[in-house]
């Protein structure tokens, strides 16, 4: 009898297992801030310090975006003076920072999270209410996901 | 359109005798829906302002017409921004986010903001806990960030993103009216001997109209100046959220003002272009080394995961319940578990439901948000997962999609007052019931207090008159009205809607129909339907009948509404212009005349000046105090 291996079993694959949501931290009002509390689902997936670092950086970006200072004031005055037509051509301060955040999240995903089977989703896509972290599971390591079980069953049925 | 035409004429009445006098057209100064001369109200004033005030420019200075033009344009620009800008609509939450907040989650989540407990309520339409200061607008059917109010005259909500423009619009309009009146007065005083000329007569008429509209406009402007200084929204002021207590959202007067006027334009959440994120998630995955504590926990746990869902503010009972359930993947929720009317009296659910005020929530079922969920092909391809979040447009709701939800647009003046004050929390009848069927210590208090608050909302819904006119009652429960209209009779195909007023039998029937008829319902949503079970049958009979009758009336009257979503965008632009025309007298006067009474007393037209006073309720007049969880006190004036 020859051993028959399912090629798909040999190739490791990943599937989305679950999502973790880091909620907003409202202790200082409605300014955009995310909780730095470490969700327990990620206990064995990523080091605490890495995630906390990411969240803290994101929070600092949001503080910068919402800062009320000279630039935002001038922007407002210019917009008033041009009857808000300037909004068609100019990017507001907030939008600029959001672009930076988007770039930062992509970089973090590539360097830190994807190698660990995680994926960050930009909070702006969820209305800045939650920071969504998708957890992927390695199907080759055997989980309860249906596709892996069906594959392993076909493999073991030989 | 009084304001602008008066501005134009006020600036233009100084014309020399050589210019032919413009015929006096009363229609210019009357406001009525579908006024065909509305288009003139933009052209004529600008023409007057820009080219027909030679007298004033000769007599005083040539800056005057320029100043008038600038003010006029500023007012117009702010009005347009307030009308057409997304107020800060939250996109609907995706299914996966809702998974944690399943049917056993409490209706409220409490957060502490600067030491003050603030409750976040679950929005059943949008499927998330509403952030603080967010409210669901039933007209637009969206949750809006920093919700101020829904303005029926621009048919748009005023929220975080466009409040500044609304506020500036009020300020500039007040200034504009004052200018018109002032310059008109100057002209009349200088032509005292020629008061019989048409110019002078027109000027005097315009001054009268301007003076008349100045009162409500200035009143509303003053009201909003106070709100801005205090750091409150209209919604919070009108519902008396911080009447006795401290407002956690204020940072001091100066900072509040700078926050409104000087902060950067907030981003919109809807209709965003996502740039393609292409990240490969390929095993093998790195794993962090386990700490000693984790190893020990693993050994003790014997592999059973802790209950992860108890990290948020859930009751201890929830924890107990969910721990056992979390040992395995959560099974599809069984409908019978959450049906108190069925003979399973041992459950906490049924006992609590019979004890607590029978106010199950009324919600609108929404099909699952069209998102790449678990079964998305991108995620389950048996290859390395190439998560390609390709260029994808968010569900974009154009501004005209929000229109048409205004019911009773052609109504009597007092009713419009009520519509203007739609910021009354739309979820009034939601909050009384638990999302889950069972509750525990803290949520029970919530339920009880919410019951008293929202029993009033529920009773309002019962009193909704059947003749189709919108009283304050129905407007206090605006979230119910669209739902009323969506249900015609039990025999029609279901749209996934369950009324709390139906008896258990009919609800069971519906459930059966739901299970058959709708393949798109996913199990969590079904559980959600069942979790919000109807009240005990004894209290349902008359309500149910009334509801069905009202539904039929509502559905029959819906097509007659000229401003439903079936109207074309062109007509709606026209309506926008009309609303601009009638902005002052309609929006502002009713606001003054008709104070909000959130206890559901129907508002009839009164002449009570309420602008300055409606924030303070007379304690002697009967104030019902309701204390919620965490000490938030709501005072409802009777």
């Amino acid at each position: 009898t020859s051993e028959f291996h399912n090629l798909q079993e040999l190739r490791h694959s990943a599937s989305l297992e679950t999502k973790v949501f880091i909620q907003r931290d409202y202790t200082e009002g409605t300014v955009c801030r995310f909780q730095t509390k470490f969700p327990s689902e990620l206990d064995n997936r990523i080091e605490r310090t890495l995630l906390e670092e990411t969240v803290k950086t994101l929070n600092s970006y949001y503080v910068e975006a919402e800062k009320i200072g000279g630039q935002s004031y001038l922007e407002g005055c210019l917009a008033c003076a041009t009857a808000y037509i300037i909004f068609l051509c100019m990017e507001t301060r907030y939008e600029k920072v959001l672009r930076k955040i988007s770039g930062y999240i992509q970089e973090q995903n590539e360097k830190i999270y994807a190698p660990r089977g995680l994926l960050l989703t930009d909070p702006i896509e969820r209305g800045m209410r939650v920071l969504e972290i998708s957890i992927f599971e390695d199907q080759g390591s055997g989980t309860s996901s249906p596709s892996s079980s069906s594959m392993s069953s076909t493999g073991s049925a030989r | 359109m009084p304001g602008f035409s008066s501005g134009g004429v006020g600036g233009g009445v100084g014309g020399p005798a050589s210019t032919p006098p413009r015929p006096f057209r009363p229609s210019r100064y009357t406001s009525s829906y579908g006024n065909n001369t509305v288009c003139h109200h933009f052209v004529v004033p600008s023409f007057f302002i820009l080219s027909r005030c030679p007298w004033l420019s000769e007599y005083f200075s040539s800056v005057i017409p320029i100043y008038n033009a600038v003010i006029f344009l500023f007012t117009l620009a702010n009005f347009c921004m307030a009308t057409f800008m997304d107020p800060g609509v939250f996109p609907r939450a995706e299914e996966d986010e809702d998974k944690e907040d399943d049917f056993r989650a409490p209706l409220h989540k409490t957060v502490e903001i600067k030491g003050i407990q603030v409750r976040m309520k679950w929005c059943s339409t949008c499927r998330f806990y509403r952030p603080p200061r967010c409210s669901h607008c039933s007209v637009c059917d969206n949750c809006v960030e920093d919700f101020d109010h829904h303005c029926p005259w621009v048919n748009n909500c005023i929220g975080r993103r466009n409040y500044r423009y609304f506020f500036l619009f009020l300020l500039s309009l007040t200034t504009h009216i004052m200018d018109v009146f002032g310059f008109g007065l100057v002209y009349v005083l200088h032509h005292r001997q020629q008061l019989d000329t048409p110019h002078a007569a027109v000027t005097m008429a315009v001054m009268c109209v301007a003076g008349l509209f100045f009162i409500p406009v200035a009143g509303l402007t003053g009201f909003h100046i106070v709100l801005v200084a205090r750091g409150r929204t209209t919604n919070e002021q009108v519902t008396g959220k911080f009447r006795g207590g401290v407002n956690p959202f204020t940072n001091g007067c100066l900072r509040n003002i700078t926050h409104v006027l000087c902060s950067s334009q907030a981003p919109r959440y809807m209709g965003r272009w996502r740039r393609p994120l292409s990240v490969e998630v390929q095993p093998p995955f790195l794993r962090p080394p386990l700490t000693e504590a984790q190893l020990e926990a693993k050994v003790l746990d014997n592999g059973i995961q802790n209950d992860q869902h108890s990290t948020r503010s859930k009751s201890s009972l929830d924890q107990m319940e969910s721990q056992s359930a979390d040992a395995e993947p959560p099974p599809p929720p069984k409908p019978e578990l959450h049906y108190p009317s069925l003979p399973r009296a041992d459950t906490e659910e049924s006992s609590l439901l019979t004890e607590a005020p029978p106010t199950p929530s009324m919600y609108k079922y929404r099909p699952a948000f069209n998102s790449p969920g678990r079964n998305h092909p991108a995620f389950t391809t048996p290859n390395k997962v190439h998560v390609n979040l390709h260029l994808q447009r968010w569900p974009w709701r154009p501004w005209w999609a929000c229109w048409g939800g205004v019911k009773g647009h052609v109504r009597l003046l007092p009713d419009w007052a009520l519509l203007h004050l739609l910021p009354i929390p739309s979820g009034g009848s939601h909050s009384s019931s638990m999302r889950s069927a069972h509750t525990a210590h803290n949520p029970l208090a919530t339920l009880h207090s919410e019951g008293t608050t929202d029993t009033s909302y529920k009773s309002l819904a019962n009193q909704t008159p059947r003749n189709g006119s919108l009283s304050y009652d129905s407007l206090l429960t605006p979230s119910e009205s669209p739902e009323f209209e969506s249900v015609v009779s039990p025999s029609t195909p279901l749209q996934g809607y369950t009324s709390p007023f139906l008896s258990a039998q009919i609800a069971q029937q519906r459930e059966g129909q739901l299970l058959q008829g709708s393949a798109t319902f996913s199990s969590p949503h079904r559980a959600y339907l069942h979790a919000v079970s109807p009240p005990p049958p004894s209290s349902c009979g008359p309500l149910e009948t009334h509801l069905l009758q009202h539904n039929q009336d509502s559905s029959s009257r819906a097509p007659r509404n000229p401003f439903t979503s079936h109207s074309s965008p062109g007509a709606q632009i026209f309506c926008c212009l009309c609303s601009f025309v009638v902005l002052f007298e309609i929006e502002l006067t009713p606001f003054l005349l008709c104070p909000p009474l959130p206890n559901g007393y129907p508002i009839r037209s009164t002449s009570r000046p309420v602008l300055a006073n409606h924030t303070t309720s007379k304690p002697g007049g009967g104030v019902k105090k309701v204390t919620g969880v965490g000490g938030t006190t709501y005072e409802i004036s009777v």
Side-chain angles (χ1 to χ4, degrees):
Chain A
T1 57
S2 60
E3 282 217 4
F4 193 93
H5 293 280
N6 189 347
L7 274 176
Q8 283 186 326
E9 267 189 305
L10 291 179
R11 223 188 318 174
H12 286 256
S13 45
S15 72
L16 178 65
E17 185 197 348
T18 185
K19 289 185 182 181
V20 177
F21 298 96
I22 295 182
Q23 300 289 329
R24 279 270 292 269
D25 176 16
Y26 292 111
T27 52
E28 287 171 29
T30 49
V31 288
C32 187
R33 235 183 93 84
F34 288 96
Q35 291 176 355
T36 48
K37 191 167 67 79
F38 191 79
S40 40
E41 291 93 335
L42 301 174
D43 256 338
N44 57 345
R45 300 303 298 255
I46 191 167
E47 291 86 341
R48 284 179 184 249
T49 50
L50 287 175
L51 183 65
E52 275 175 22
E53 184 64 38
T54 306
V55 175
K56 279 190 184 140
T57 313
L58 282 177
N59 286 340
S60 71
Y61 273 124
Y62 287 122
V63 162
E64 184 197 334
E66 294 182 356
K67 196 161 87 79
I68 299 173
Q71 189 187 347
S72 61
Y73 177 69
L74 283 176
E75 228 174 56
C77 288
L78 185 66
C80 269
T82 61
Y84 307 114
I85 296 170
I86 198 80
F87 283 144
L88 295 171
C89 1
M90 188 184 76
E91 205 181 27
T92 66
R93 174 198 179 89
Y94 215 117
E95 293 285 342
K96 286 195 188 109
V97 176
L98 285 179
R99 265 199 301 123
K100 272 205 285 187
I101 290 172
S102 175
Y104 173 74
I105 286 180
Q106 179 158 13
E107 177 213 334
Q108 290 280 294
N109 273 336
E110 282 166 7
K111 286 193 189 154
I112 298 177
Y113 290 88
R116 289 169 173 77
L118 303 173
L119 211 60
L120 291 178
T121 307
D122 198 336
I124 194 76
E125 296 173 13
R126 298 285 174 266
M128 309 248 282
R129 294 178 294 105
V130 290
L131 174 63
E132 179 186 310
I133 303 177
S134 312
I135 301 177
F136 290 88
E137 198 52 61
D138 184 358
Q139 283 189 348
S141 60
T143 61
S144 58
S145 62
S147 48
S148 74
S149 58
S150 64
M151 285 202 307
S152 54
S153 61
T154 45
S156 58
R158 312 291 153 114
Chain B
M1 197 271 301
F4 288 99
S5 59
S6 59
V9 174
V13 291
S18 58
T19 54
R22 205 163 180 85
F24 182 76
R25 277 185 291 171
S27 62
R28 191 190 303 170
Y29 306 107
T30 59
S31 306
S32 61
Y33 297 94
N35 189 344
N36 285 325
T37 61
V38 64
C39 49
H40 294 275
H41 296 186
F42 289 101
V43 175
V44 167
S46 39
F47 174 69
F48 272 129
I49 289 168
L50 294 174
S51 64
R52 292 195 61 185
C53 37
W55 180 83
L56 278 168
S57 59
E58 281 170 18
Y59 200 82
F60 291 105
S61 122
S62 55
V63 168
I64 291 176
I66 299 168
Y67 167 75
N68 270 331
V70 164
I71 294 282
F72 169 70
L73 287 173
F74 189 64
T75 311
L76 190 63
N78 283 304
F79 173 76
C80 290
M81 292 295 272
T83 307
F84 298 119
M85 182 171 258
D86 179 342
V89 170
F90 283 113
R92 302 271 195 268
E94 302 195 357
E95 293 176 37
D96 292 344
E97 194 180 338
D98 190 27
K99 170 183 75 71
E100 286 187 0
D101 302 320
D102 59 6
F103 52 87
R104 285 173 297 184
L107 192 64
H108 290 271
K109 216 163 72 159
T110 311
V111 288
E112 188 168 304
I113 300 180
K114 294 182 188 169
I116 296 163
Q117 301 285 327
V118 172
R119 242 187 350 205
M120 286 169 38
K121 200 164 116 189
W122 172 260
C123 183
S124 51
T125 311
C126 304
R127 312 304 286 261
F128 54 74
Y129 285 98
R130 291 182 198 142
R133 307 196 107 176
C134 164
S135 188
H136 189 94
C137 174
S138 59
V139 178
C140 304
D141 200 21
N142 287 312
C143 269
V144 174
E145 191 174 10
D146 287 2
F147 180 76
D148 192 80
H149 66 281
H150 179 92
C151 183
W153 303 101
V154 304
N155 208 359
N156 195 18
C157 285
I158 308 296
R160 178 185 177 191
R161 296 187 74 233
N162 62 354
Y163 182 75
R164 176 192 343 186
Y165 308 114
F166 177 75
F167 183 64
L168 289 175
F169 165 66
L170 288 180
L171 287 177
S172 56
L173 187 62
T174 311
T175 315
H176 184 64
I177 293 179
M178 288 196 302
D179 292 338
V180 162
F181 189 86
F183 290 129
L185 188 67
V186 161
Y187 178 81
V188 164
L189 289 176
H190 279 266
H191 293 82
R192 274 191 291 264
Q193 287 74 34
Q194 301 150 25
L195 286 181
D196 52 345
T197 60
H199 269 149
V202 162
T203 310
M204 283 198 294
V206 164
M207 273 172 59
C208 289
V209 168
L212 196 67
F213 288 123
F214 175 74
I215 297 167
V217 173
L220 187 64
T221 306
F223 174 63
H224 275 275
I225 289 173
V226 168
L227 285 186
V228 167
R230 279 176 154 184
R232 294 187 190 183
T233 63
T234 305
N235 191 15
E236 290 163 354
Q237 181 69 39
V238 154
T239 54
K241 278 208 174 96
F242 308 121
R243 200 169 288 172
V246 185
N247 181 2
F249 303 111
T250 182
N251 298 314
C253 179
L254 194 63
R255 280 187 148 179
N256 293 337
I257 295 171
T258 52
H259 174 71
V260 167
L261 295 179
C262 305
S263 59
S264 181
Q265 175 64 52
R268 65 170 194 270
Y269 302 131
M270 308 287 286
R272 290 192 78 86
W273 289 100
R274 280 196 285 173
R275 65 170 202 202
L277 292 175
S278 177
V279 176
E280 292 177 3
V281 178
Q282 186 186 6
F285 298 138
L286 300 174
R287 299 271 172 160
L290 292 176
T291 63
E292 274 191 25
Q294 283 172 320
L295 281 169
E296 205 180 306
K298 261 194 174 306
V299 167
L300 290 174
D301 267 354
N302 203 16
I304 298 174
Q305 300 289 327
N306 276 335
D307 175 25
Q308 316 299 353
H309 304 290
S310 59
T311 52
R312 293 183 292 106
S313 59
K314 273 196 184 189
S315 61
S316 57
L317 190 62
D318 279 343
Q319 286 183 13
M320 277 162 46
E321 293 254 341
S322 49
Q323 262 180 2
S324 52
D326 281 331
E328 55 192 275
K334 302 187 181 64
E336 302 82 38
L337 276 176
H338 301 277
Y339 242 71
S341 56
L342 294 179
R344 288 188 68 235
D346 298 338
T347 58
E348 293 226 21
E349 292 96 316
S350 53
S351 65
L352 281 165
L353 271 173
T354 49
E355 288 165 9
T359 53
S361 77
M362 216 166 139
Y363 62 91
K364 191 165 193 170
Y365 170 78
R366 295 258 154 198
F369 193 69
N370 196 17
S371 64
R374 284 204 191 191
N375 299 323
H376 196 268
F379 293 137
T380 54
T381 48
N383 265 326
K384 67 185 176 189
V385 173
H386 189 84
V387 179
N388 186 16
L389 304 175
H390 53 278
L391 199 67
Q392 181 178 344
R393 242 183 122 84
W394 279 102
W396 183 65
R397 290 158 179 258
W399 57 267
W400 59 78
C402 297
W403 287 38
V406 181
K407 287 157 283 296
H409 199 91
V410 247
R411 299 291 178 208
L412 300 176
L413 201 57
D415 293 325
W416 268 118
L418 320 172
L419 275 180
H420 181 78
L421 296 168
L422 268 174
I424 305 297
S426 61
S429 63
H430 292 220
S431 51
S432 61
S433 75
M434 303 294 294
R435 281 176 59 218
S436 69
H438 70 264
T439 173
H441 327 292
N442 285 340
L444 184 56
T446 309
L447 186 65
H448 182 69
S449 65
E450 281 301 295
T452 45
T453 323
D454 298 296
T455 309
S456 61
Y457 287 132
K458 194 170 71 106
S459 62
L460 296 178
N462 303 342
Q463 294 164 21
T464 310
R466 300 187 217 154
N467 59 2
S469 71
L470 277 176
S471 69
Y472 194 71
D473 311 302
S474 63
L475 290 168
L476 278 179
T477 53
S479 60
E480 295 169 42
S481 9
E483 293 156 17
F484 281 156
E485 295 193 14
S486 70
V487 177
V488 179
S489 69
S491 57
T492 57
L494 284 175
Q495 298 160 15
Y497 163 79
T498 303
S499 160
F501 302 117
L502 294 174
S503 65
Q505 291 169 346
I506 293 191
Q508 262 182 318
Q509 273 177 18
R510 285 178 173 242
E511 183 196 11
Q513 290 178 18
L514 273 174
L515 291 173
Q516 292 162 15
S518 175
T520 60
F521 287 23
S522 59
S523 55
H525 302 296
R526 214 184 303 148
Y528 196 71
L529 277 170
H530 298 305
V532 200
S533 23
S538 58
S539 64
C540 280
L543 304 177
E544 168 192 19
T545 322
H546 179 91
L547 177 68
L548 291 177
Q549 283 173 338
H550 176 70
N551 288 341
Q552 285 158 7
D553 286 333
S554 308
S555 60
S556 60
R557 94 175 121 89
R560 285 192 277 118
N561 188 334
F563 289 91
T564 56
S565 55
H566 310 301
S567 51
S568 63
Q572 295 192 339
I573 294 171
F574 176 73
C575 298
C576 166
L577 296 177
C578 287
S579 64
F580 191 23
V581 168
V582 303
L583 187 66
F584 334 114
E585 79 168 344
I586 302 298
E587 174 179 17
L588 308 164
T589 310
F591 186 75
L592 285 180
L593 294 181
C594 306
L597 293 181
N599 65 346
Y601 277 54
I603 298 288
R604 301 293 167 235
S605 59
T606 66
S607 55
R608 267 186 291 152
V610 82
L611 190 61
N613 296 337
H614 82 295
T615 59
T616 59
S617 70
K618 297 191 268 269
V623 173
K624 211 195 296 182
K625 274 200 180 184
V626 172
T627 312
V629 170
T632 320
T633 310
Y634 296 76
E635 290 181 43
I636 303 164
S637 56
V638 175

